[in-house]
Amino acid sequence: MNETWTPLKLLAWTQGYFARAGVDAPRLTAELLLAHALGCDRVRLYLDFDKPLAEPELARFRALVKRRAEGEPTAYLTGVKEFYGRAFRADTRALIPRPETELVVEAALAALPERGTALDLCTGSGCIGVTLALERPGARVLVADLSPDALALARENAERLGARVELHQGDLFAPIPADLRFDLVVANPPYVPAPEVPGLARELQREPALALDGGEAGLAVTRRLVAEAPARLRPGGTLVVEMHESHLEVLPALCLAAGFASAEARRDLGGLPRYVVARAKA
Ligand code: GLN
């Protein structure tokens, strides 16, 4: 077979193939993978739209298409994910940054003074803490994770993006110096209720279970986080925590029971309850 494959022809074919295979955003996914195979950006694909691909480029692209159709997330194939306008490195060491978490960052920024002190727990790729450090260069930002692998990825992201963050490995607040008090504690902990984990999309099954599985009711980690947070916050400080949609009532109640002065659940752009903002007593 001596067919010539131009970017346009390949994208059209792959889009249809992905659609039939049940892959999300088939056109965008085809573009991201083709750009990755060619080592260019997506705009370039359309500048060179009728220039036939060389065989090694085609082979690279075919291998990526196959792996994507088999359920590997696009970000793990390309090794990058855009978050808050920046390119974060993504791989199987941590959860892939999600657009809904950008709202958590917005709420966190609103609560972080110019020269304030912030702590990002369960940092994973580092996307929250690194973004805070870059958006608030005068603030002091600590990030922590239980997983040494995740923390290594967070370190790479901080270094590549030029963010100054202090990294700590350990369980929630355990590795954080006991005398520090924060204006802001933020976290995207594992919050998927354990019974839902086996039913998650196959793409999510490729992400670390440690980053997703929140135990019974999805609150195992969040419960401890909320209970320990008041002692680590300054008076009037803020806790922002991403949550499962089923936590709309229970999480604000847990915050109030832990001694917070107020707690408000907020929704994501899809209208689902997605994070809580709790204020410590003044
Ligand atoms: N947002 C993830 C999902 O799609 C869950 C992330 C988490 O548990 N922190 O289910």
Side-chain angles (χ1 to χ4, degrees), residues 95 98 100 188-192 200 204 211-213 242 274:
L95 197 77
R98 308 273 206 270
E100 50 271 31
N188 176 14
Y191 58 68
V192 179
L200 291 175
L204 276 81
L212 289 165
D213 189 339
E242 191 168 320
R274 187 53 66 212

Side-chain angles (χ1 to χ4, degrees), residues 95 98 100 122 188-201 204-205 207-223 241-247 251 273-274:
L95 197 77
R98 308 273 206 270
E100 50 271 31
C122 310
N188 176 14
Y191 58 68
V192 179
E196 287 185 21
V197 170
L200 291 175
L204 276 81
Q205 309 285 353
E207 296 183 272
L210 185 68
L212 289 165
D213 189 339
E216 225 34 64
L219 285 165
V221 176
T222 303
R223 219 181 257 286
V241 187
E242 191 168 320
M243 68 181 189
H244 191 256
E245 52 265 30
S246 65
H247 299 157
L251 189 47
R274 187 53 66 212

